[in-house]
PDB file of all heavy atoms in Angstrom:
ATOM      1  N   ILE V 266       4.679 -74.281  25.862  1.00  0.00           N
ATOM      2  CA  ILE V 266       4.612 -73.637  27.182  1.00  0.00           C
ATOM      3  C   ILE V 266       5.472 -72.368  27.214  1.00  0.00           C
ATOM      4  O   ILE V 266       5.072 -71.315  27.614  1.00  0.00           O
ATOM      5  CB  ILE V 266       5.107 -74.626  28.301  1.00  0.00           C
ATOM      6  CG1 ILE V 266       4.076 -75.765  28.422  1.00  0.00           C
ATOM      7  CG2 ILE V 266       5.243 -73.903  29.658  1.00  0.00           C
ATOM      8  CD1 ILE V 266       4.518 -76.950  29.215  1.00  0.00           C
ATOM      9  N   GLY V 267       6.690 -72.545  26.664  1.00  0.00           N
ATOM     10  CA  GLY V 267       7.636 -71.470  26.649  1.00  0.00           C
ATOM     11  C   GLY V 267       7.170 -70.147  25.877  1.00  0.00           C
ATOM     12  O   GLY V 267       7.466 -69.084  26.268  1.00  0.00           O
ATOM     13  N   CYS V 268       6.444 -70.475  24.818  1.00  0.00           N
ATOM     14  CA  CYS V 268       6.031 -69.327  23.983  1.00  0.00           C
ATOM     15  C   CYS V 268       4.701 -68.739  24.481  1.00  0.00           C
ATOM     16  O   CYS V 268       4.141 -67.824  23.816  1.00  0.00           O
ATOM     17  CB  CYS V 268       5.943 -69.733  22.556  1.00  0.00           C
ATOM     18  SG  CYS V 268       4.593 -70.780  22.138  1.00  0.00           S
ATOM     19  N   GLY V 269       4.176 -69.214  25.569  1.00  0.00           N
ATOM     20  CA  GLY V 269       3.054 -68.583  26.185  1.00  0.00           C
ATOM     21  C   GLY V 269       1.724 -69.248  25.967  1.00  0.00           C
ATOM     22  O   GLY V 269       0.662 -68.705  26.429  1.00  0.00           O
ATOM     23  N   GLU V 270       1.686 -70.435  25.379  1.00  0.00           N
ATOM     24  CA  GLU V 270       0.442 -71.204  25.329  1.00  0.00           C
ATOM     25  C   GLU V 270       0.331 -72.055  26.555  1.00  0.00           C
ATOM     26  O   GLU V 270       0.593 -73.225  26.625  1.00  0.00           O
ATOM     27  CB  GLU V 270       0.400 -72.094  24.031  1.00  0.00           C
ATOM     28  CG  GLU V 270       0.379 -71.311  22.759  1.00  0.00           C
ATOM     29  CD  GLU V 270      -1.035 -70.734  22.462  1.00  0.00           C
ATOM     30  OE1 GLU V 270      -1.922 -70.693  23.294  1.00  0.00           O
ATOM     31  OE2 GLU V 270      -1.216 -70.357  21.261  1.00  0.00           O
ATOM     32  N   TYR V 271      -0.061 -71.344  27.660  1.00  0.00           N
ATOM     33  CA  TYR V 271       0.030 -71.998  28.996  1.00  0.00           C
ATOM     34  C   TYR V 271      -0.792 -73.188  29.216  1.00  0.00           C
ATOM     35  O   TYR V 271      -0.528 -73.990  30.084  1.00  0.00           O
ATOM     36  CB  TYR V 271      -0.216 -70.887  30.049  1.00  0.00           C
ATOM     37  CG  TYR V 271       0.695 -69.735  29.958  1.00  0.00           C
ATOM     38  CD1 TYR V 271       0.241 -68.475  29.628  1.00  0.00           C
ATOM     39  CD2 TYR V 271       2.058 -69.872  30.139  1.00  0.00           C
ATOM     40  CE1 TYR V 271       1.057 -67.375  29.488  1.00  0.00           C
ATOM     41  CE2 TYR V 271       2.938 -68.789  29.980  1.00  0.00           C
ATOM     42  CZ  TYR V 271       2.414 -67.547  29.689  1.00  0.00           C
ATOM     43  OH  TYR V 271       3.269 -66.507  29.531  1.00  0.00           O
ATOM     44  N   VAL V 272      -1.839 -73.353  28.456  1.00  0.00           N
ATOM     45  CA  VAL V 272      -2.734 -74.480  28.573  1.00  0.00           C
ATOM     46  C   VAL V 272      -1.958 -75.779  28.277  1.00  0.00           C
ATOM     47  O   VAL V 272      -2.409 -76.889  28.691  1.00  0.00           O
ATOM     48  CB  VAL V 272      -4.011 -74.299  27.844  1.00  0.00           C
ATOM     49  CG1 VAL V 272      -3.815 -74.547  26.350  1.00  0.00           C
ATOM     50  CG2 VAL V 272      -5.137 -75.196  28.360  1.00  0.00           C
ATOM     51  N   ALA V 273      -0.875 -75.645  27.500  1.00  0.00           N
ATOM     52  CA  ALA V 273      -0.100 -76.804  27.199  1.00  0.00           C
ATOM     53  C   ALA V 273       0.553 -77.461  28.502  1.00  0.00           C
ATOM     54  O   ALA V 273       1.092 -78.598  28.431  1.00  0.00           O
ATOM     55  CB  ALA V 273       1.024 -76.474  26.208  1.00  0.00           C
ATOM     56  N   VAL V 274       0.463 -76.736  29.598  1.00  0.00           N
ATOM     57  CA  VAL V 274       0.924 -77.361  30.864  1.00  0.00           C
ATOM     58  C   VAL V 274       0.082 -78.639  31.101  1.00  0.00           C
ATOM     59  O   VAL V 274       0.590 -79.601  31.676  1.00  0.00           O
ATOM     60  CB  VAL V 274       0.814 -76.363  32.003  1.00  0.00           C
ATOM     61  CG1 VAL V 274       1.035 -77.011  33.355  1.00  0.00           C
ATOM     62  CG2 VAL V 274       1.864 -75.239  31.831  1.00  0.00           C
ATOM     63  N   SER V 275      -1.173 -78.542  30.736  1.00  0.00           N
ATOM     64  CA  SER V 275      -2.040 -79.745  30.892  1.00  0.00           C
ATOM     65  C   SER V 275      -1.523 -80.922  30.035  1.00  0.00           C
ATOM     66  O   SER V 275      -1.554 -82.054  30.503  1.00  0.00           O
ATOM     67  CB  SER V 275      -3.407 -79.404  30.479  1.00  0.00           C
ATOM     68  OG  SER V 275      -4.252 -80.449  30.732  1.00  0.00           O
ATOM     69  N   THR V 276      -1.117 -80.619  28.802  1.00  0.00           N
ATOM     70  CA  THR V 276      -0.523 -81.605  27.967  1.00  0.00           C
ATOM     71  C   THR V 276       0.693 -82.234  28.652  1.00  0.00           C
ATOM     72  O   THR V 276       0.872 -83.479  28.638  1.00  0.00           O
ATOM     73  CB  THR V 276      -0.045 -81.102  26.591  1.00  0.00           C
ATOM     74  OG1 THR V 276      -1.132 -80.216  26.126  1.00  0.00           O
ATOM     75  CG2 THR V 276       0.186 -82.132  25.608  1.00  0.00           C
ATOM     76  N   LEU V 277       1.519 -81.384  29.228  1.00  0.00           N
ATOM     77  CA  LEU V 277       2.768 -81.841  29.909  1.00  0.00           C
ATOM     78  C   LEU V 277       2.477 -82.735  31.082  1.00  0.00           C
ATOM     79  O   LEU V 277       3.064 -83.846  31.262  1.00  0.00           O
ATOM     80  CB  LEU V 277       3.604 -80.679  30.328  1.00  0.00           C
ATOM     81  CG  LEU V 277       4.858 -80.971  31.162  1.00  0.00           C
ATOM     82  CD1 LEU V 277       5.796 -81.891  30.340  1.00  0.00           C
ATOM     83  CD2 LEU V 277       5.539 -79.756  31.632  1.00  0.00           C
TER      84      LEU V 277
END
Side-chain angles (χ1 to χ4, degrees):
Chain V
I266 294 170
C268 72
E270 293 284 13
Y271 302 115
V272 76
V274 170
S275 184
T276 315
L277 175 60

